[in-house]
Amino acid sequence: VHLMAVFYRYYEAGGDKEQALVDTLEHSGFPILMTSLTTAAGLFAFSNAEMAPVAHLGIFAGIGVLLAFVYTLVLTPALLAILPVHRTAWLGKGRGTGGFDRVLVAIADFATSRALGIVLVSAVVMVLAIGGLFSLRFSMNFLNWFPKDLELRKGIELVDERFKGSMNLEVVVDTGKENGLYEPKVLNQMEALARYAEQQTKPDGSHYVGKTNSVVDVLKEINKALNENREEFYTVPQNRKLIAQELLLFENSGSDDLEDVVDSQLGKARLSLIVPWDDTEVYVEFVGDLRREAEALLGDNATVTITGELNLFTQMIFTMMQSMAQSYLIAAVVITIMMMLLVGSIRIGVLSMIANLAPIVLTMGLIMGYFDIRLDVFTLLIGSIALGLAVDDTIHFFHNFRRYYGEGKSVQEAVRETLLTTGRAMMFTTLVLVIGFWLFMFATLNNVFNFGLLTGIALLFALAADFLLAPAMLTLVIRSSYGRTLTERWCNLEPAVEGD
């Protein structure tokens, strides 16, 4: 879109197509390259994620962006050269003549004349958004992604209600030797661990565990049955030989229930905990406490491994947190370096990143934080994706501002020219992207809905930052003597070109 906008501008001026294409690539080729690289960098930041689907998204989406760049600079000019092109196009209309251009001029004048107010208001909003970041919470509750009336969700909720749980957590006890489960001490410790798990309660007072099952329960049933079903014998025998005889008797009876809880060598056993479906965040502390208790009880006699469906989900939370921190840090550092290289100034490059990071902070802090939208596998992707996309407009804005300010124009004139040329394309590309992401709002799953909604909002914030905050910051910088010298050096101007 940026390439087409600049092409039509030159083509409308009356030149031939080939010259217009040459001027277009000279004008916008480099920023298009940099925007493609920054977008790809934001996506490639996910390639180190431990979760395979997230890593694959980063790899293949990044490759797709680079392929789009090649087609933009190779295929699009070739098609423009050989196909008939009319001179009248919305993207190339004369600057300042239409209603849309008058709106862009008004935005430029407002941003430069009210620069201090815009920066102060933005700072206040950013502080509020940063406060909202502390309210963000991680979530891993796949059930809440589905509509409440979906049969799958209703079925799981019914199982939780009737059977006190639909997820499993497994504690695998490995004694490391054959017939190690004949030891009364090991079985007593497994029973103690089961009782500990059953007694733990959530903050709301409900129990974490609805039911436990292990070889201990089987053995207690056997011992009771062999003693006339008297309740006082519903215990673990404290004699190794008696335990061996009772288990052998049970195996020879033809039942295969023992195979579900021990291995064939009777050296390993599983303690199964059935838990109700809930946000995995609720279980993170419980699983950690259970692991420590298991090590304390059984560590001297057996190796303990926590596994199962619930443990998988809790580990995903830690993986998500780690992946988010790594991806955001990598994306921010790489894109900041690329912005410095693009604008040719470390200080201006850092300044430009304020307009890039502000939309992410606003979306995650102001929207997600205060409206209690949880960070899950999908919403975690918003930051890096939005950063990679939002930086595109910032690059085009700073590149064009530098061009026009370097021609000796005032700040206000340079901002006007920037918005009248690349601003039109910025507006159009943002609207296309927002509509594309907002199409996800028609999805049935709530997580997909939130992903599309929030990414679209982040891109709108990014456009506002480039239209208002970036011009305001540049205006304030140039008003100071140091900032003016810095900007003149950035734009390769002789000192004191600016009179205001």
Side-chain angles (χ1 to χ4, degrees):
V1 172
H2 282 276
L3 183 142
M4 296 290 288
V6 177
F7 167 76
Y8 274 112
R9 173 193 166 193
Y10 286 116
Y11 194 44
E12 288 288 322
D16 59 69
K17 280 200 300 183
E18 290 187 7
Q19 187 59 45
L21 287 171
V22 171
D23 294 337
T24 297
L25 293 178
E26 180 184 1
H27 181 281
S28 295
F30 184 63
I32 289 176
L33 167 65
M34 295 303 293
T35 55
S36 299
L37 292 178
T38 52
T39 302
L43 292 165
F44 282 140
F46 290 119
S47 61
N48 288 326
E50 293 185 33
M51 297 175 62
V54 178
H56 293 165
L57 169 68
I59 294 170
F60 293 109
I63 292 173
V65 169
L66 296 180
L67 289 174
F69 161 72
V70 173
Y71 285 126
T72 298
L73 290 194
V74 176
L75 181 61
T76 304
L79 292 174
L80 289 173
I82 63 175
L83 295 177
V85 179
H86 298 290
R87 291 187 182 275
T88 303
W90 181 78
L91 283 172
K93 286 183 178 178
R95 298 190 299 279
T97 59
F100 186 77
D101 286 342
R102 287 193 292 271
V103 172
L104 293 176
V105 170
I107 292 174
D109 293 344
F110 178 78
T112 52
S113 63
R114 301 288 188 271
L116 182 60
I118 291 173
V119 171
L120 290 177
V121 171
S122 300
V124 172
V125 175
M126 284 289 289
V127 170
L128 292 174
I130 291 173
L133 290 176
F134 293 99
S135 301
L136 286 175
R137 294 173 57 191
F138 289 91
S139 174
M140 183 63 68
N141 191 343
F142 299 125
L143 198 61
N144 283 344
W145 293 358
F146 297 97
K148 292 183 178 180
D149 59 348
L150 192 70
E151 289 300 321
L152 171 65
R153 179 170 179 174
K154 291 163 65 176
I156 293 176
E157 291 172 345
L158 180 63
V159 170
D160 280 341
E161 179 184 349
R162 299 286 180 86
F163 300 100
K164 306 302 179 185
S166 55
M167 287 199 297
N168 70 297
L169 181 65
E170 302 288 342
V171 180
V172 179
V173 179
D174 185 0
T175 64
K177 55 186 178 181
E178 187 176 352
N179 297 328
L181 295 175
Y182 289 165
E183 293 293 339
K185 186 176 181 180
V186 174
L187 297 175
N188 291 337
Q189 291 167 341
M190 289 184 61
E191 183 178 26
L193 182 61
R195 299 294 81 79
Y196 168 84
E198 291 174 348
Q199 291 168 5
Q200 302 308 301
T201 57
K202 302 177 185 178
D204 62 2
S206 61
H207 286 272
Y208 284 106
V209 178
K211 182 182 179 182
T212 62
N213 182 51
S214 70
V215 64
V216 173
D217 300 291
V218 175
L219 186 59
K220 288 161 69 175
E221 288 286 353
I222 297 170
N223 195 51
K224 177 183 176 182
L226 293 175
N227 288 275
E228 301 175 342
N229 284 326
R230 291 155 60 185
E231 286 298 330
E232 62 266 28
F233 285 95
Y234 187 70
T235 59
V236 175
Q238 299 302 302
N239 183 286
R240 176 184 173 88
K241 292 182 178 180
L242 181 58
I243 292 173
Q245 290 172 357
E246 290 188 354
L247 291 178
L248 178 62
L249 180 64
F250 184 73
E251 284 186 289
N252 292 336
S253 68
S255 174
D256 57 359
D257 290 349
L258 202 59
E259 297 177 1
D260 296 333
V261 292
V262 297
D263 69 337
S264 60
Q265 302 299 315
L266 291 172
K268 293 181 181 179
R270 59 186 288 192
L271 170 61
S272 299
L273 288 72
I274 306 301
V275 298
W277 193 290
D278 204 339
D279 196 318
T280 313
E281 180 195 32
V282 175
Y283 290 106
V284 170
E285 185 177 356
F286 167 70
V287 173
D289 292 341
L290 182 68
R291 181 178 285 105
R292 286 187 288 272
E293 185 70 15
E295 291 289 346
L297 287 171
L298 291 152
D300 295 335
N301 302 304
T303 302
V304 179
T305 304
I306 307 292
T307 183
E309 181 180 44
L310 180 60
N311 186 62
L312 175 65
F313 291 159
T314 55
Q315 290 301 312
M316 286 176 68
I317 286 189
F318 291 107
T319 303
M320 287 162 55
M321 294 171 63
Q322 183 181 19
S323 297
M324 183 192 75
Q326 291 179 348
S327 300
Y328 283 26
L329 180 62
I330 292 172
V333 170
V334 171
I335 290 176
T336 300
I337 294 173
M338 295 176 71
M339 287 296 297
M340 293 175 183
L341 293 175
L342 170 68
V343 301
S345 169
I346 294 176
R347 295 177 179 85
I348 299 297
V350 172
L351 182 69
S352 69
M353 286 304 296
I354 297 176
N356 292 328
L357 297 175
I360 314 304
V361 176
L362 291 177
T363 302
M364 304 190 78
L366 206 60
I367 306 299
M368 295 182 64
Y370 288 111
F371 287 92
D372 194 28
I373 300 176
R374 306 292 180 86
L375 284 169
D376 57 28
V377 178
F378 277 72
T379 52
L380 276 174
L381 302 176
I382 294 171
S384 288
I385 291 177
L387 178 60
L389 294 173
V391 74
D392 292 3
D393 288 344
T394 306
I395 288 175
H396 282 287
F397 177 85
F398 275 81
H399 176 79
N400 282 273
F401 176 85
R402 180 185 184 183
R403 184 188 190 94
Y404 295 122
Y405 190 73
E407 293 175 356
K409 293 181 171 61
S410 67
V411 178
Q412 186 179 47
E413 291 171 342
V415 173
R416 279 185 179 181
E417 287 295 319
T418 299
L419 294 190
L420 285 172
T421 52
T422 194
R424 182 189 294 272
M426 289 163 61
M427 175 75 77
F428 187 70
T429 53
T430 299
L431 292 178
V432 170
L433 287 169
V434 169
I435 292 172
F437 279 107
W438 278 358
L439 288 176
F440 286 118
M441 295 168 64
F442 291 99
T444 301
L445 296 178
N446 295 328
N447 60 316
V448 180
F449 176 93
N450 290 337
F451 172 73
L453 171 65
L454 294 170
T455 307
I457 290 175
L459 294 177
L460 290 177
F461 281 146
L463 182 65
D466 288 323
F467 272 19
L468 297 174
L469 182 59
M473 290 190 300
L474 285 172
T475 300
L476 294 180
V477 167
I478 293 174
R479 283 179 183 174
S480 67
S481 58
Y482 173 77
R484 182 182 305 178
T485 303
L486 174 65
T487 309
E488 289 168 350
R489 190 162 56 244
W490 170 45
C491 297
N492 300 318
L493 281 173
E494 293 296 329
V497 173
E498 197 75 53
D500 53 351

